[in-house]
């Protein structure tokens, strides 16, 4: 069956999407028409857009050494300080970009630019330009920016890897990506879309949907009592507080969105797994996969109607029996 898929942010916790997608495929949803995501969700949406199945995605995630993403360069401490001063992030950010390029190149349906993807409006990913104080949806908003010759970027020609790298660029950890504003000529500072829209489930809504949009929403803690906790204390309290500010801005709407979009949202609890823990244990990885599976199984058992912001549901034949 056909469906659109939208995936939230959540950093390394995005591994849980693979488990939830396995269940969606078992329910018949193997034809993803349009896909969107923010941060880790952008990587997942991209992977589906170039033909990866849930099983293939999980195999890729299990095989990859995520420590490569934390490319500090010089020894820990020295490298972080140097990167913050020179690059405006704790890491170089190259490891993340290289992994995204690798996923695209080795995909069942490889693609480099948005125009090479199969289907109209196949993929959208969300970023934020801190310098210009705006949300940027790729590829449609790339014409806000121009190259060094003053030529505005063309959505179909824009590299998928660059857009996804922006969307997944957690502020202060990964350096912002610089694109030049086409009107002012001033450099933007493009970072993780979760700062503005961690769960853009509304992107594909229309008054008469032909198929459902299934949303995959990560949230911290465990239902119903255990909430996530970010301690802020000790000599490193400024860093703790900064992490708390960013996590709160990304996750503050958890309860509201899970309730408002519950007829089409698979809410996946991620316990106390840290967004930027690139050294997950085997047990933590299994917890995330299993959490995704259990959440999706429970969701589809409710026979959801996938009602959108117009109050409309798709035809019954496109919904789970």
């Amino acid at each position: 069956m056909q469906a659109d898929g939208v995936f939230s942010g959540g950093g390394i916790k995005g591994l849980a999407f693979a488990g939830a997608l396995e269940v969606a495929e078992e329910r018949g949803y193997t034809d993803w028409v349009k896909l969107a995501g923010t941060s880790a969700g952008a990587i997942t949406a991209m992977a589906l857009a170039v033909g990866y199945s849930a099983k293939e995605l999980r195999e890729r995630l299990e095989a990859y050494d995520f420590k490569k993403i934390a490319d500090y360069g010089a020894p820990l401490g020295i490298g972080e300080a140097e990167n913050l001063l020179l690059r405006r992030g704790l890491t170089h950010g190259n490891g993340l970009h290289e992994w995204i390029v690798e996923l695209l190149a080795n995909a069942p349906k490889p693609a480099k630019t948005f125009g090479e993807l199969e289907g109209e409006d196949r993929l959208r990913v969300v970023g934020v330009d801190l310098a210009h104080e705006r949300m940027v949806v790729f590829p449609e908003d790339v014409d806000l920016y121009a190259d060094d010759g003053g030529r505005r970027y063309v959505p179909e020609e824009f590299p998928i890897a660059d857009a996804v790298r922006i969307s997944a660029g957690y502020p202060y950890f990964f350096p912002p990506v610089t694109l030049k504003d086409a009107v002012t000529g001033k450099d933007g500072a493009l970072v993780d879309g979760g700062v503005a829209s961690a769960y853009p489930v509304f992107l594909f809504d229309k008054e008469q949907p032909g198929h459902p949009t299934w949303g995959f929403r990560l949230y911290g803690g465990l239902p119903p009592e255990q909430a996530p906790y970010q301690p802020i204390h000790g000599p490193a309290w400024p860093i703790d507080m900064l992490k708390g500010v960013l996590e709160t801005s990304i996750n503050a709407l958890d309860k509201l969105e899970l309730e408002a979009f519950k007829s089409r949202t698979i809410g996946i609890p991620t316990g106390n797994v840290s967004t930027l823990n690139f050294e997950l244990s085997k047990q933590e990885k299994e917890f995330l996969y299993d959490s995704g599976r259990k959440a999706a199984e429970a969701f589809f058992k409710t026979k959801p109607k996938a009602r959108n912001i117009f109050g409309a549901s798709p035809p019954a034949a496109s919904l789970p029996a």
Side-chain angles (χ1 to χ4, degrees):
M1 292 191 291
Q2 290 187 330
D4 297 333
V6 178
F7 301 84
S8 77
I12 196 66
K13 297 182 287 187
L15 273 68
F17 291 138
L21 283 167
E22 287 177 354
V23 176
E25 287 186 0
E26 291 164 7
R27 290 293 186 132
Y29 293 103
T30 56
D31 185 1
W32 297 99
V33 182
K34 295 182 180 181
L35 295 147
T38 296
S39 191
I43 295 173
T44 303
M46 175 200 77
L48 294 176
V50 292
Y52 284 101
S53 67
K55 179 176 181 291
E56 290 167 334
L57 178 59
R58 178 169 180 169
E59 288 172 350
R60 285 280 175 182
L61 294 174
E62 288 183 338
Y64 185 71
D65 180 5
F66 285 99
K67 292 192 292 293
K68 294 179 181 178
I69 290 178
D71 54 345
Y72 299 105
L76 194 62
I78 299 174
E80 290 174 322
E82 178 184 331
N83 292 332
L84 276 174
L85 182 63
L86 300 178
R87 298 180 176 86
R88 297 180 292 174
L90 292 173
T91 66
H92 289 235
N94 296 328
L96 175 60
H97 189 267
E98 289 167 2
W99 178 52
I100 294 168
V101 170
E102 179 183 320
L103 283 173
L104 289 168
N106 295 320
K109 300 176 182 178
K112 291 184 178 181
T113 66
F114 282 91
E116 294 175 6
L117 295 171
E118 293 182 358
E120 186 178 357
D121 296 329
R122 173 72 164 160
L123 175 65
R124 293 183 184 177
V125 300
V126 179
V128 168
D129 185 343
L130 296 176
H132 293 95
E133 301 178 358
R134 63 191 176 205
M135 184 170 78
V136 182
V137 180
F138 292 92
E140 60 198 64
D141 290 338
V142 296
D143 62 356
L144 294 171
Y145 301 94
D147 60 23
D148 291 337
R151 176 179 176 269
R152 288 179 184 261
Y153 290 108
V154 178
E156 293 79 12
E157 298 174 0
F158 197 77
I160 299 167
D162 290 357
V164 175
R165 160 64 180 86
I166 288 169
S167 185
Y170 194 93
Y172 284 96
F173 191 80
F174 299 110
V177 173
T178 300
L179 293 177
K180 194 179 299 293
D181 184 87
V183 176
T184 66
K186 296 184 181 296
D187 287 342
L190 288 100
V191 301
D192 193 323
V195 173
S197 181
Y199 182 51
V201 71
F202 49 82
L203 279 176
F204 303 128
D205 284 356
K206 53 186 178 181
E207 293 185 8
Q208 295 181 320
H211 52 258
T213 293
W214 297 129
F216 299 76
R217 179 72 158 92
L218 304 176
Y219 66 95
L222 292 168
E225 301 89 3
Q226 182 185 335
Y229 177 64
Q230 170 64 52
I232 300 173
H233 56 68
W237 71 264
I239 296 176
D240 291 340
M241 183 172 289
L242 176 60
K243 288 174 64 178
V245 169
L246 292 172
E247 291 294 326
T248 301
S249 70
I250 291 172
N251 299 313
L253 296 179
D254 280 355
K255 291 183 179 179
L256 174 64
E257 291 179 338
L258 289 170
E259 180 62 28
F261 304 123
K262 64 182 178 181
S263 74
R264 55 176 171 166
T265 296
I266 301 167
I268 306 173
T270 56
N272 284 320
V273 176
S274 171
T275 301
L276 299 176
N277 179 7
F278 296 112
E279 298 186 35
L280 290 178
S281 67
K282 181 178 180 181
Q283 290 76 17
E284 287 172 319
K285 289 181 179 180
E286 285 299 322
F287 162 73
L288 290 171
Y289 291 133
D290 290 345
S291 185
R293 278 202 65 91
K294 290 175 182 176
E297 287 168 350
F299 173 78
F300 284 118
K301 282 181 181 177
T302 67
K303 298 183 179 180
K305 302 302 181 185
R307 190 171 292 108
N308 65 19
I309 59 173
F310 295 101
S313 292
S318 68
L319 296 172

